[in-house]
Amino acid sequence: MKRKVGIMGGSFDPIHIGHLAVANEVLNIYELDEIIFVPTGDPPHKEGLRADACHRLMMVTMAVLSNDRFSVSDIEIKSSGKSYTLNTLTELHKIYKNTEFYFITGTDAVIDLPNWHEPGEVLKLCRFIAATRPGISLEEVGIKIKGIMEAYGGNIEILKVPMLQISSTDIRERFRTGVSAKYLIPECVEQYIIKNGLYRYGDTRL
Ligand code: ATP
Ligand code: MG
């Protein structure tokens, strides 16, 4: 039988409990063997207060420590230049033989698929699971997903999860303005951000 492995891509700037809760729901409902978090590399031009890839990778690593089915890959951070999901999935298929991949996104991210590099090829390499996220109606997502599958084929499913109105943008803003983000991010991530002075203007101004 094929192993079932989830891939959760994102900038994770920083990782928050929305990411972790979604991953856990998909893990359980689809009975996956493992979920690999894949932080993106640094964009060529960072806008606003963003953390370097090494910090984002460290925060994801710490956040997944307590779950033995969660792991992290530095495949995109290590690759030079812009990394495309197509390349990442192709590489992961070489490493993980006899494996079915489930690419996990929020509903906001999945509707952007037509703007990805080679969406049709990406859809051949994995199933997509789009977890509900506040801010976009199920009806709108349903229509867009239908259109994507008609245009490119593939398999995209919407998964209803307990919705959490949490975003990394909001977390960064909290640290910038000194508003507590307690319970919205894992405690170790909160401590790491404070210790390294991330998301604040000052010595770390980008
Ligand atoms: P930012 O505000 O910087 O865009 P983000 O919170 O959207 O950050 P990303 O790293 O962009 O986090 O997201 C990675 C993946 O996780 C995306 O597919 C996104 O849709 C999904 N995701 C993030 N937060 C949630 C949430 N609260 N509920 C459901 N999915 C989420
Ligand atoms: Mg996002």
Side-chain angles (χ1 to χ4, degrees), residues 9 11-12 16 19 105-106 108-109 133 164 166-169 172:
S11 50
F12 302 115
H16 54 69
H19 298 125
T105 71
D108 64 312
R133 186 173 191 182
L164 294 168
I166 303 173
S167 69
S168 300
T169 303
R172 291 193 298 273

Side-chain angles (χ1 to χ4, degrees), residues 63-152:
V64 303
L65 259 182
S66 58
N67 191 321
D68 62 8
R69 289 189 188 264
F70 286 178
S71 63
V72 54
S73 165
D74 60 1
I75 187 167
E76 292 200 358
I77 284 175
K78 275 205 319 217
S79 80
S80 54
K82 194 166 161 45
S83 35
Y84 293 113
T85 300
L86 178 59
N87 301 347
T88 304
L89 282 168
T90 305
E91 288 306 309
L92 289 173
H93 269 293
K94 286 184 199 156
I95 302 167
Y96 293 79
K97 306 275 188 226
N98 199 31
T99 299
E100 187 178 16
F101 285 112
Y102 292 66
F103 201 93
I104 305 161
T105 71
T107 40
D108 64 312
V110 81
I111 60 169
D112 189 44
L113 246 173
N115 298 319
W116 293 20
H117 178 63
E118 302 270 13
E121 296 304 309
V122 173
L123 280 155
K124 279 184 199 153
L125 295 181
C126 61
R127 285 170 67 171
F128 269 80
I129 312 296
T132 48
R133 186 173 191 182
I136 175 159
S137 78
L138 260 187
E139 198 191 356
E140 186 186 341
V141 178
I143 292 167
K144 293 211 166 144
I145 284 179
K146 196 165 164 269
I148 294 171
M149 287 196 287
E150 274 165 13
Y152 302 105

Side-chain angles (χ1 to χ4, degrees), residues 182-197:
K182 235 182 198 351
Y183 313 118
L184 300 176
I185 52 177
E187 201 168 344
C188 55
V189 172
E190 184 191 11
Q191 287 167 355
Y192 185 91
I193 291 170
I194 294 167
K195 184 164 180 178
N196 291 282

